Amino acid sequence: MRRPFWRTKPISQAAAPETGLHRVLGPWQLIALGVGVTVGAGLFSMTGVAAGQYAGPAVTLSFMIAAIACAFAGLCYAELAGMIPEAGSAYTYAYTSMGEGIAWIIGWDLILEYTVNASTVAASWSGYFASLMHEIGISLDPRLLAPTGASIMTSDGQFVRAWFNAPAVFIICAVTCLLMCGTRGSSKINMAIVALKLLIIGSVTVICLPHISAANLHPFIPANTGQFGQFGASGVMRAAGLIFFAYIGFDIVSTAAQDSHNPQRNIPLSVLGSLVLAAVIYAIFSFVIVGVVNYRAMLHDPNPVATVLHSLHIPWFSALITFGIALGYISVIYGLLMGQSRICLSMARDGLLPSLFETLNRRSRTPWSSHIITAVVASILAACLPIDILGKMTSIGTLLAFIIVCFGVMVLRLRQPKAVRRFKTPGGPFLVPILGILSCGTVMLSMDIMTWIRLALWLLVGLGIYAVYGLHRSRLKHTHH
């Protein structure tokens, strides 16, 4: 028998179990889920920070680099999703290909990825919410709009320390309540919000196109300041690392396999469809933003779209779009919190987490306990930590997940070449996975040392939990015995 760390779950066993979730999501709902999560904070918030601090107008190029890396990973996700139609995303794929220990690492990484990303988006939503309140004449206490301890300036010009980001906590709790009502009803609301979001993006693009200034786009790649990651080619790569979490949406789609009709067909289709749509939207919209407002004006701006609209001096349109963006963020947080609960459910069903996480509410058939615990943790992070730290942590977690998925495709091609695959990556068993590993690895290496240290600490804590709990409670261990 293999050592516990390397014991794998047979594909037939991974695909067979029913979780009790209602299978109510078709391909359009899944694509809406993917696009809804993907088109969010990465576009409406981090575009300004990435342009102002790292890439300048070339932030559009950063989005394209991230999209290319994601495309390789997306093809690998599609192949594995067609083989293993189970909730759990990269965690489940690693369990069937590389072993329980690697699965635990990636599952623990995904918990970080989804929870911190939800916190990032909630923190960004807070800025748009405050801007919207200002538009209608309501001024919120700035001490309730920033992470704990941040230095902020009050209306009378004094600098004080922030208490916590209250609107971010509110929106996480509100979306959690929506998820706890049930998947069928909440998915319909999500589709409506995604449609509104796409309408907003189209409207802003059309209105802004005549206001693009060539001066704002020159130089397209500002000269490096002499420090790695501060503009120049390294800045473009650093920005790609910062905004990489923006493409997490197609990953979320694969967590909903057991909420879907015919997942072996719908999941691969929805993964690739949501990725292509998001990449096109990001490339066009980011170009418009840096074309209308000079990137230097967005150095620490978490609300670049609001800044762009204010520069056009169309107050009614600005207020309307700000409202639409704030509403559109709900679909992002919705998908992230849903994906988080499905990861925990899969890990609990395998015995690696307590059974509390797989318990479903009798009426809604949703994992209430998991939703509540995730909401508490995400709220604390959103309330207390700066958005740039949250964004970087999400990005490096996402990149690690993508790399492991690419390895999983190669391992399963070698170990189980005759397994039924509804979709295969083009170019044979190695070309796309290796390109995915190299591209994602390059973006990872461009990230700062503190982000790497935080990831290492998180993984060490996770390995400790696995050694104390999961290693001994694993249901696969008892199956082998």
Side-chain angles (χ1 to χ4, degrees):
M1 184 179 70
R2 290 181 182 174
R3 292 182 179 180
F5 195 89
W6 302 108
R7 57 193 173 208
T8 57
K9 182 191 294 187
I11 291 178
S12 57
Q13 184 180 338
E18 282 296 331
T19 59
L21 298 170
H22 291 311
R23 292 187 178 273
V24 296
L25 302 182
W28 289 111
Q29 287 96 333
L30 289 167
I31 290 176
L33 178 66
V35 173
V37 173
T38 305
V39 181
L43 186 64
F44 296 138
S45 178
M46 301 309 288
T47 300
V49 176
Q53 295 186 16
Y54 304 120
V59 68
T60 299
L61 187 57
S62 299
F63 273 115
M64 294 174 66
I65 290 170
I68 291 170
C70 280
F72 298 132
L75 290 168
C76 293
Y77 266 92
E79 175 168 327
L80 294 179
M83 294 176 64
I84 312 164
E86 186 199 6
S89 182
Y91 159 76
T92 300
Y93 306 152
Y95 212 155
T96 58
S97 59
M98 286 174 281
E100 183 176 281
I102 302 298
W104 168 265
I105 290 172
I106 197 60
W108 187 246
D109 173 66
L110 289 172
I111 290 173
L112 168 74
E113 177 185 333
Y114 293 151
T115 305
V116 177
N117 200 355
S119 303
T120 308
V121 177
S124 178
W125 180 87
S126 176
Y128 279 99
F129 178 74
S131 178
L132 179 62
M133 292 296 100
H134 181 74
E135 292 280 355
I136 61 178
I138 300 175
S139 296
L140 302 176
D141 190 330
R143 290 171 295 185
L144 292 172
L145 298 173
T148 303
S151 179
I152 54 174
M153 187 173 67
T154 60
S155 57
D156 59 2
Q158 293 184 344
F159 284 91
V160 297
R161 294 291 179 182
W163 294 335
F164 67 99
N165 195 331
V169 175
F170 165 76
I171 192 62
I172 288 173
C173 294
V175 175
T176 298
C177 291
L178 175 65
L179 279 163
M180 291 167 67
C181 291
T183 306
R184 186 188 301 275
S186 59
S187 69
K188 292 179 180 178
I189 296 173
N190 182 61
M191 283 193 69
I193 292 173
V194 171
L196 173 64
K197 189 190 299 187
L198 295 178
L199 179 63
I200 288 169
I201 291 171
S203 301
V204 172
T205 301
V206 170
I207 293 293
C208 289
L209 278 175
H211 300 275
I212 292 177
S213 170
N216 290 332
L217 300 172
H218 181 78
F220 187 69
I221 303 179
N224 184 262
T225 61
Q227 182 178 353
F228 183 88
Q230 300 295 316
F231 304 105
S234 64
V236 173
M237 294 303 298
R238 177 67 60 82
L242 175 65
I243 60 183
F244 198 90
F245 79 93
Y247 289 100
I248 195 177
F250 75 82
D251 186 355
I252 295 291
V253 171
S254 65
T255 69
Q258 291 188 325
D259 296 88
S260 168
H261 306 299
N262 192 7
Q264 286 177 301
R265 179 182 69 88
N266 291 342
I267 297 297
L269 176 66
S270 303
V271 163
L272 298 177
S274 59
L275 176 58
V276 170
L277 282 173
V280 172
I281 291 169
Y282 274 130
I284 295 174
F285 201 69
S286 61
F287 181 80
V288 168
I289 288 176
V290 294
V292 174
V293 174
N294 191 280
Y295 71 92
R296 297 178 184 86
M298 297 187 286
L299 182 61
H300 299 289
D301 186 2
N303 312 306
V305 179
T307 301
V308 167
L309 294 175
H310 284 312
S311 73
L312 301 181
H313 305 295
I314 312 176
W316 66 269
F317 185 69
S318 176
L320 181 64
I321 295 301
T322 301
F323 171 75
I325 290 174
L327 187 63
Y329 268 40
I330 294 174
S331 67
V332 185
I333 301 172
Y334 171 90
L336 292 168
L337 295 181
M338 179 181 175
Q340 164 71 308
S341 69
R342 279 19 177 203
I343 294 293
C344 289
L345 185 148
S346 294
M347 295 178 73
R349 196 182 63 210
D350 291 330
L352 303 185
L353 287 178
S355 59
L356 175 72
F357 289 96
E358 65 174 327
T359 303
L360 303 182
N361 179 267
R362 291 182 180 180
R363 182 182 60 83
S364 66
R365 308 306 297 169
T366 57
W368 274 31
S369 300
S370 183
H371 283 316
I372 293 171
I373 293 170
T374 300
V376 170
V377 176
S379 295
I380 292 172
L381 293 174
C384 301
L385 293 181
I387 191 172
D388 60 332
I389 291 178
L390 294 171
K392 290 175 183 177
M393 284 302 298
T394 305
S395 289
I396 200 167
T398 304
L399 286 159
L400 178 59
F402 288 177
I403 287 173
I404 291 179
V405 167
C406 292
F407 269 115
V409 167
M410 294 190 291
V411 171
L412 282 178
R413 286 284 191 103
L414 293 173
R415 287 184 176 174
Q416 302 191 43
K418 296 182 180 180
V420 176
R421 292 170 170 82
R422 300 290 292 270
F423 175 87
K424 286 187 177 183
T425 58
F430 302 115
L431 177 62
V432 168
I434 288 174
L435 289 174
I437 292 167
L438 291 176
S439 56
C440 292
T442 301
V443 178
M444 267 186 102
L445 291 173
S446 72
M447 304 190 76
D448 62 272
I449 188 64
M450 284 306 301
T451 301
W452 276 93
I453 291 173
R454 293 186 190 105
L455 176 65
L457 290 174
W458 175 259
L459 294 178
L460 284 174
V461 170
L463 286 172
I465 294 173
Y466 174 69
V468 172
Y469 184 90
L471 182 65
H472 308 289
R473 301 294 187 94
S474 168
R475 292 177 185 171
L476 187 60
K477 169 187 176 182
H478 298 296
T479 300
H480 281 181
H481 286 164

